[in-house]
Structures are given as C-alpha cells and as structure tokens.
Amino acid sequence: MAGALTTTLMFLGAAGTVTGSKYLVTVGARRILVDAGMFQGEKKWRLKNWEEFPVDPASISDVILTHAHMDHVGYLPALARNGFDGPVWCTPGTRELAEIVMRDAAKLQELEAQDANERGYSKHSPALPLYTTADVEDLLPQFVALEYDTDFELTGDERPGFTPDADQTVTIRLSRAGHILGSASVNLWTPTATVLFSGDLGRHDHPVLRPRDIPLGAPTVLIESTYGDREHPEPDTLPHEGFADVIRRTIERGGSVVVPAFAIDRTEVVLKTISDLERDGRIPDVPVFVDSPMGVRALRVYQSQPDELRPDLRPEDFLAIPDLTAVESPEDSKRLTAPNGHRPAVIISSSGMATGGRVLHHLETLLPDARNAVVLTGYQGVGTRGRQLSEGAEQVKINGRYVPVRAEVYHDREFSVHADGSDLLDWLAELRPRPATVYCVHGEADSAAALAARIQRELHLNAVVPRHGEVVVVDAGTAAQAAIKAPAPSPEHGEPAPQRSRSRAARVAADPVNGSAPRYRLVTGRSDADFERRVNEALEEGYQLQGPPSLAFDGDELIVAQPLIAPPRLG
C-alpha cells in the first residue's frame, strides 16, 4: 500500500547568506536544481564556488531558473562543465538575459585571471577562471523557454540518455515575480509534495515592469528575505531627490558621478530616472555614459519585450536623454576617467556592488578626488566594495592596491527593486492555500531571522531559517495537513487554472480544476480497510489523487497517507 517514494529539499545556497541560490529537490532517484547561482561577497562564501559540488552534476536531471542575476545563474556553466547535461527551464526573458550575463561573467573571469597572472597579485599560480566563454557556449543549447502561468510536466524524456520514471514526473508553473525582466516564482509539484519558490520578489510597484502576480500557494514555501528586516524609505520630497542633489552639486564643482549599477534591470531603471529628472528640470542636461556593454545589450532585451513593461512606459523612454553615449571598447572606457582627460559627466557602469567590471577602474581614478561622487543604487552584499563604501570606508582595495576614498558617497535606496519586509508579508498573506511551513532564504542571517519572526507573529505560520547544506522532507505527510485547514480563497482569486502542458510545451488536456486555487486534503488510515474507505469517500466528494500514497510519522508510529487535490466549490 505504501510506496517508498519521498521528496526532499536541500539548501545548497542562499541559506545563511544572500547569494549563491541553489535548492536541490530530490524525488526518488531524480534530482532537480532550482537556480544555480554563484556565491559573491564574503570570501568564505566565494570559496564555495570552487568546492566540489555536493552531488554529481551529471545526476541532476533538470535546472529551473527564477531569473538571470549572477547569484541565481552564475554557477550554471561550471555545473555543466562538470557533467550536467539536462534542460534548463526558464522564461524567455530569463533565457535572453542569462545568455548575456553568463557570457559577460566568463569573459570577466578570463580577463581577471590574465591580469592577475601578469601583475602577480593572485595567490594562485596560475590564476584560472571558474569557467570560460567556451563553457558558456556549450551550455546555451540546453535552455528551454516556457510561458508564464502554464503548467509543464517535466517527464525526464528531454534529457539525452535519461530513462524517465513515471513515478518521478515533476510539474512546474512560472508566475511573474516583478523583480527583473523574466523573473518568476516557481510552483513545483512532485508525486508526493508541493513546493513554491518565491525567487526574488519585486516591490508592489516596479518602476519599469509589470507588477508581480500572486502564484498558487503550497504547503511548503521558500521566500526570499533580502530586505526582510527593513522597509524601503518613502521619499519625504520628490522621488530620488538625493540622487538629483548629488548630480547637481558634483557637476557644479567640476566632478563626475559614477553609478555602479547591475547591468540587468538596474541600468534600465537608472536611465529612466535620469531621463525623468532631466525632463522635469531637476538636473541639468549632463553627458551620460553607459559604460557597460552588458547593460546596453540588456537594455535592448527590455526594449524588445514591450508587453512585459509597465503600460505607461514605451521602449524609447529609456533613451530620452539628450546627451547619452554607449561606451563599447575598453580603450574608450578608460579614456572616460583618464587623468585630465575627462569632463564632468554621469557614468553608469557595472558591477552594481563594485565586485568587478569596468566600474573598478573608474572608482580607482575617481575615488581619491573630493570633487567626484559615487552613487550606490541598491543592495550591497557583505564583503563587497559597495558595502564598504556604503558603510563609510576610508579606503578600498582595487586590483591589489588600496585606494583612498575622498569622493562623496551616497546610497540611494529608492532604486531597490527587492520587496521589503511588508511587501514580502503581503505576498505571503495572499497565497491560497496558506503555507504550512515557510523557509526564509536569500538573506543575511539577521534579515532572514527577522522575517521569520515577523511571519510567525503576524501571519501565525511556521517559519524557519534553514542552514546551509540542510536537508528537509517536504512530502505532503509533513506539510499538507496545515494547508487543509486554510481558509477558503477569497473571490478575487477566482480565476480558472491555466492549461497544462507536457514535456517541451506539448499541449495536453486542460486541468479539470476551475475556480480559484485548489484545496488539499491528506487522508490517513491505520489499517488498509480504514485507509481505502476514507480515500473512496474523498474521491466521491470530487477530490483527485495527488501522486501515490506515502508514509507519514505521527510521533508514535508510521501511518499510510494519501494526498488529494480538488477545486474549490463554485458559487
């Protein structure tokens, strides 16, 4: 009667830290990795990028990506280099942006390794990149783009040489997360479990993108906690007045403003903001340089998907700046801030936390001069140069040398597109059915702990801060019972369930679920007869089997458990 199949979840990244997102779902013998991010920031985490992966990458059947930031996709080429050859599932926007991000990351690693070897500031001889541009090119054919709001069955037959097991079929659904273009929350169903991964969530009102959607709830939810312990400041006066003030004063004193900005989303938002400030006469028409080839390519992707933009935004609005220049060559980049060779300007350059990229040589030149300014535009991870500047460092180490900080440093927190504490609770509170267990991930320890405490206090849900490397069982027998007691969905959630797709988006019959989010029931029995009677009664009520039966432990003994699912009653 009881099967041995079980579903577990292993936290391989973004647990105890805000970077390196990796969550390994194991159902039977099948392994699915949600996100494959690179660790950034503190050295103790960065070193993990070079450690042997906890499981054989060749044993992973699928990777699912929530979005295209480095801390979610940056490790993927290394994973493929070491044996992963399965499909990478994501939205079309994520596929296009991830290609840009990974190519740029590989090129930067190759250049940094070359520079370290030539200048002798690495402890390793020779210094090597984690992966190469060739590794990225080999990986790209594995990407498969999926639509939002549609169920897809991942049977396993998409992987070369992999023999699918019908008992280990996984179904996923991607919903808009409103963080960057293509970002998604991921519903994942196995025969024994239902899990929701929030991904990185955007604020309730994104400056350039359509707002986030509310996905179906699940007994087990992973929620990001980047800003779980704080609220974004509401401007006392006009939006981004601090940014505007820095530009006005810096240009007046003959200096330049360097804006470290992530190439993906942040560069687009900064450009839109400068365009608005100039249009409203709040700053002079200053020369603006986008010194990020990756940022320019990402901007083109944003402009190519107008349906994902806010309805009041046109693709050309990003470029409504009279004196705007895209800097392509490294030589032109260096000339921007060469001694006695530049004029007052605003320079937007990656990376956003000043961990690498062209922004480093701009900082190296501009930081020692008090006429200049640095404007930080979002979250700055622990151990990054951006964090050091934000906290008032008097010197930072760049390319093996300490550079004095005399330039003005301003941190404009209005630019953040991460949900704050209240945004996160609002998203969680709207989930139907209500979660049984919430894991607070993707946040520094204090932030994750604060969010977990707030979830328990205000939403009365079980909230946990997982440890790096921890494994938990997420079978329905361990979580779904609490979901059964969830209140009925409110009328505003009464939308039909999306159509269902199989394998590589091959359509099959639509789900028989109509109305709002489904209801869960967990039927148990201490004898075969009792168990069969209760299951049959549930089936007569309209419930359907959700995978095979499994074993549940009630504290004293093992009992048989059968998860079921049904649509809410209409009318």
Side-chain angles (χ1 to χ4, degrees), residues 270-280 283 317-321:
V270 170
L271 283 172
K272 177 63 168 56
T273 301
I274 293 175
S275 172
D276 292 344
L277 294 176
E278 290 192 350
R279 182 197 62 214
D280 296 341
I283 62 173
D317 290 342
F318 292 111
L319 304 178
I321 298 172

Side-chain angles (χ1 to χ4, degrees), residues 41-385:
E42 290 182 285
K43 186 175 182 178
K44 69 176 182 178
W45 293 111
R46 298 198 312 270
L47 290 175
K48 291 187 178 297
N49 294 321
W50 296 90
E51 293 178 0
E52 184 177 355
F53 201 69
V55 301
D56 181 3
S59 70
I60 298 172
S61 65
D62 309 76
V63 170
I64 304 164
L65 299 179
T66 63
H67 66 287
H69 273 151
M70 272 292 290
D71 59 330
H72 294 260
V73 306
Y75 186 77
L76 191 52
L79 196 74
R81 180 180 188 171
N82 290 315
F84 168 68
D85 62 354
V88 179
W89 308 97
C90 60
T91 65
T94 293
R95 180 180 62 179
E96 290 193 55
L97 292 175
E99 179 178 335
I100 295 170
V101 169
M102 293 186 301
R103 280 175 170 160
D104 188 77
K107 185 64 175 178
L108 279 176
Q109 290 177 59
E110 290 171 337
L111 291 175
E112 288 172 1
Q114 178 182 344
D115 188 57
N117 289 326
E118 291 175 353
R119 299 171 64 178
Y121 59 80
S122 174
K123 296 180 181 178
H124 306 284
S125 182
L128 297 172
L130 182 63
Y131 51 83
T132 66
T133 52
D135 295 325
V136 173
E137 298 306 317
D138 289 342
L139 165 67
L140 292 177
Q142 295 171 229
F143 274 70
V144 184
L146 304 178
E147 303 168 8
Y148 282 119
D149 303 323
T150 303
D151 288 1
F152 295 90
E153 282 188 355
L154 313 183
T155 62
D157 58 4
E158 307 86 2
R159 183 183 179 195
F162 183 76
T163 303
D165 187 332
D167 291 337
Q168 297 171 17
T169 294
V170 172
T171 301
I172 64 171
R173 176 187 301 173
L174 307 179
S175 305
R176 284 182 184 83
H179 176 57
I180 68 171
L181 183 73
S183 60
S185 298
V186 178
N187 285 97
L188 185 148
W189 294 271
T190 77
T192 66
T194 304
V195 184
L196 170 61
F197 300 84
S198 74
D200 285 6
L201 294 172
R203 301 170 73 169
H204 61 277
D205 184 26
H206 193 286
V208 301
L209 295 177
R210 291 175 58 174
R212 68 191 188 201
D213 293 327
I214 302 299
L216 292 177
T220 301
V221 174
L222 279 69
I223 188 169
E224 66 124 323
S225 59
T226 310
Y227 283 97
D229 62 346
R230 70 201 78 172
E231 302 295 310
H232 292 308
E234 295 294 335
D236 295 328
T237 55
L238 296 170
H240 295 288
E241 179 54 28
F243 182 37
D245 181 57
V246 170
I247 292 176
R248 290 192 298 263
R249 290 186 292 101
T250 303
I251 298 301
E252 185 177 347
R253 64 181 177 242
S256 289
V257 180
V258 62
V259 184
F262 296 109
I264 308 300
D265 197 79
R266 193 58 44 82
T267 293
E268 291 74 24
V269 172
V270 170
L271 283 172
K272 177 63 168 56
T273 301
I274 293 175
S275 172
D276 292 344
L277 294 176
E278 290 192 350
R279 182 197 62 214
D280 296 341
R282 294 169 57 193
I283 62 173
D285 290 346
V286 298
V288 177
F289 296 92
V290 180
D291 187 20
S292 170
M294 181 169 68
V296 173
R297 292 193 293 272
L299 176 60
R300 295 187 186 120
V301 175
Y302 270 65
Q303 292 176 305
S304 72
Q305 299 194 23
D307 290 344
E308 292 301 318
L309 303 179
R310 291 170 58 116
D312 59 347
L313 182 65
R314 301 168 302 168
E316 59 267 26
D317 290 342
F318 292 111
L319 304 178
I321 298 172
D323 192 353
L324 177 65
T325 304
V327 181
E328 293 290 346
S329 73
E331 294 74 23
D332 287 341
S333 173
K334 292 178 180 179
R335 275 194 288 269
L336 280 180
T337 49
N340 303 317
H342 68 281
R343 52 182 172 150
V346 175
I347 301 168
I348 305 167
S349 187
S350 60
S351 69
M353 298 185 194
T355 54
R358 291 183 178 182
V359 76
L360 291 185
H361 67 248
H362 296 313
L363 291 173
E364 193 171 13
T365 301
L366 298 180
L367 281 174
D369 190 335
R371 294 175 301 170
N372 301 316
V374 178
V375 177
L376 303 171
T377 59
Y379 182 80
Q380 304 296 318
V382 173
T384 64
R385 295 182 186 88

Side-chain angles (χ1 to χ4, degrees), residues 469-533:
E470 185 173 0
V471 179
V472 296
V473 177
V474 292
D475 285 341
T478 63
Q481 295 181 24
I484 300 168
K485 302 174 184 176
S490 55
E492 61 265 26
H493 291 92
E495 298 180 358
Q499 70 182 100
R500 194 173 188 83
S501 300
R502 180 177 178 84
S503 188
R504 288 181 180 265
R507 306 292 190 214
V508 296
D511 283 336
V513 178
N514 293 305
S516 65
R519 293 173 291 133
Y520 294 90
R521 175 179 291 184
L522 186 72
V523 173
T524 62
R526 298 183 182 277
S527 68
D528 285 355
D530 181 45
F531 177 78
E532 291 179 4
R533 177 181 60 79

Side-chain angles (χ1 to χ4, degrees), residues 438-485:
V438 179
Y439 292 100
C440 297
V441 297
H442 197 281
E444 294 171 15
D446 291 346
S447 180
L451 181 63
R454 190 174 175 186
I455 290 170
Q456 294 184 92
R457 182 175 64 251
E458 298 184 26
L459 300 183
H460 309 292
L461 297 173
N462 183 34
V464 178
V465 179
R467 300 182 307 275
H468 180 80
E470 185 173 0
V471 179
V472 296
V473 177
V474 292
D475 285 341
T478 63
Q481 295 181 24
I484 300 168
K485 302 174 184 176

